[in-house]
Amino acid sequence: MRFFLLLGLLAMFAPLAQAQTWVNQRMTVQVPDGHLHGSLLLPKTDAPLPVALLIAGSGPTDRDGNNPLGHNDSLKRLAQALAKRGIASVRYDKRGVGQSQPVAPDESQLKVEDYVDDAVAWSRLLQADPRFSALVLIGHSEGALIASLAEPTVKPAALISLAGSGRPIDALLREQLQGRLPTALLASANYLIDELNAGRIHQQVPEPLQVLFRLSVQPYLISLFQEDPAAAFANTTAPALIIQGSHDIQVSSKDAQALKQARADAELALIKGMGHVLRITPQDSAGQVASYNSPELPIAHALTEQISRFLTEHGVLPASS
């Protein structure tokens, strides 16, 4: 009976122990159009810690890694896993999303450069904060491109590309749509991609393609299609780690290999069984799609192991962590 009572007490105090180990704080950074809002997760310690700026992927994705098409808390879970390794992190609502919505209420005004400037603004704020010993940029999916573009200005202690494309996004998008759309609709999608690549806006978009090519998002896609993720990655100089999951249905290992080819000195870690939202998933598409709406699933253990190892080997994270 005493044994079960002890287990009950331990379970009751477990959340309290976690609360005493981590500090959650709201943070804001000023940009020319207003303020961006984010969350700091800080392990409790008197010593300065490395801090990771987590840069979200494409679309209206919030600080936790969620958007209208999927609630999985991928970035929130990653922040918690990093905190257990002694790494602080800041994740933020992109402009036009969540609490940062007032900064860009009209998505037709968005361009890739805006997201890069935002990452630079957050980086400057964190680099000036005495609580942090070093800044690490971690970009997920499209956020990996943003991190690479920001890196030459920010000069972080380390750069981590997490499920990032190694080819222009229009090529990646064509591959993602292949086999998933009827022939006529696929032809329409490829035509729109060609037109956006040429810098031309199209008023008429078939209803099934509105989510990807709605009129208001076309200016952003035009700016995005002009970027080459591999070239941007090649232009970085900070110690770099490329992480790719073998079960990712959005980005493949050949993208990771392309990034590695762009920077021979970068490390490449392939995580067996990891899908796009950083969970270990079945290889079948149904199991992977289910993970996009499964916030209760734990982050892949090997993911934070690789990040911790990499940062320790490069002196960013003390070995004792």
Side-chain angles (χ1 to χ4, degrees):
M1 183 67 175
R2 289 179 181 175
F3 175 73
F4 290 111
L5 179 60
L6 178 60
L7 285 180
L9 287 171
L10 288 174
M12 183 173 66
F13 285 110
L16 178 60
Q18 178 172 301
Q20 292 174 333
T21 304
W22 302 341
V23 176
N24 280 285
Q25 290 183 354
R26 295 181 180 180
M27 290 193 73
T28 62
V29 67
Q30 186 168 358
V31 293
D33 302 311
H35 287 84
L36 300 174
H37 295 259
S39 297
L40 166 67
L41 192 58
L42 179 66
K44 273 193 147 184
T45 177
D46 293 331
L49 294 174
V51 60
L53 180 65
L54 307 183
I55 305 174
S58 62
T61 304
D62 68 15
R63 71 186 76 182
D64 293 334
N66 302 321
N67 60 53
L69 298 179
H71 178 196
N72 53 74
D73 282 348
S74 55
L75 296 185
K76 181 178 181 180
R77 287 282 193 160
L78 176 58
Q80 293 168 346
L82 293 175
K84 292 177 182 178
R85 301 271 181 166
I87 304 165
S89 66
V90 167
R91 59 193 196 277
Y92 59 96
D93 292 336
K94 294 163 64 175
R95 56 174 55 217
V97 177
Q99 286 186 299
S100 302
Q101 196 273 341
V103 176
D106 181 358
E107 72 173 355
S108 68
Q109 302 301 314
L110 288 173
K111 290 183 172 56
V112 168
E113 293 80 8
D114 297 321
Y115 290 143
V116 175
D117 290 344
D118 293 343
V120 170
W122 279 110
S123 297
R124 295 292 190 228
L125 181 69
L126 298 177
Q127 288 173 321
D129 193 320
R131 293 176 295 179
F132 307 125
S133 57
L135 172 70
V136 180
L137 295 183
I138 302 181
H140 176 243
S141 194
E142 187 182 295
L145 169 63
I146 304 303
S148 291
L149 291 170
E151 190 273 353
T153 300
V154 170
K155 302 189 184 308
L159 170 68
I160 298 176
S161 171
L162 187 50
S165 176
R167 54 204 147 136
I169 305 303
D170 64 299
L172 179 66
L173 184 56
R174 290 182 201 271
E175 181 178 284
Q176 290 175 348
L177 296 176
Q178 187 71 38
R180 295 189 173 100
L181 292 176
T183 303
L185 211 53
L186 180 61
S188 295
N190 283 326
Y191 171 72
L192 287 168
I193 292 172
D194 288 339
E195 289 293 279
L196 293 172
N197 253 327
R200 291 190 285 267
I201 296 288
H202 270 261
Q203 299 280 342
Q204 301 300 320
V205 176
E207 184 58 36
L209 298 179
Q210 284 286 335
V211 67
L212 287 175
F213 301 109
R214 60 192 178 277
L215 181 61
S216 58
V217 83
Q218 290 182 33
Y220 179 75
L221 291 177
I222 288 173
S223 74
L224 180 63
F225 290 172
Q226 303 311 304
E227 301 293 345
D228 182 344
F233 191 68
N235 196 41
T236 65
T237 56
L241 173 64
I242 305 157
I243 301 180
Q244 180 61 46
S246 66
H247 287 181
D248 193 325
I249 58 174
Q250 289 187 238
V251 179
S252 71
S253 58
K254 66 183 179 183
D255 288 287
Q257 296 290 351
L259 292 176
K260 172 67 175 172
Q261 188 172 1
R263 254 196 78 174
D265 65 327
E267 288 191 45
L268 172 56
L270 294 174
I271 298 182
K272 185 177 180 180
M274 189 175 78
H276 194 68
V277 292
L278 315 182
R279 274 48 177 230
I280 300 300
T281 66
Q283 193 163 12
D284 64 279
S285 60
Q288 292 183 59
V289 170
S291 69
Y292 283 66
N293 277 293
S294 300
E296 72 282 356
L297 292 177
I299 287 289
H301 180 68
L303 169 61
T304 45
E305 270 195 339
Q306 289 287 351
I307 292 174
S308 178
R309 175 201 56 78
F310 172 75
L311 295 181
T312 300
E313 289 179 0
H314 286 275
V316 178
L317 182 66
S320 59
S321 298

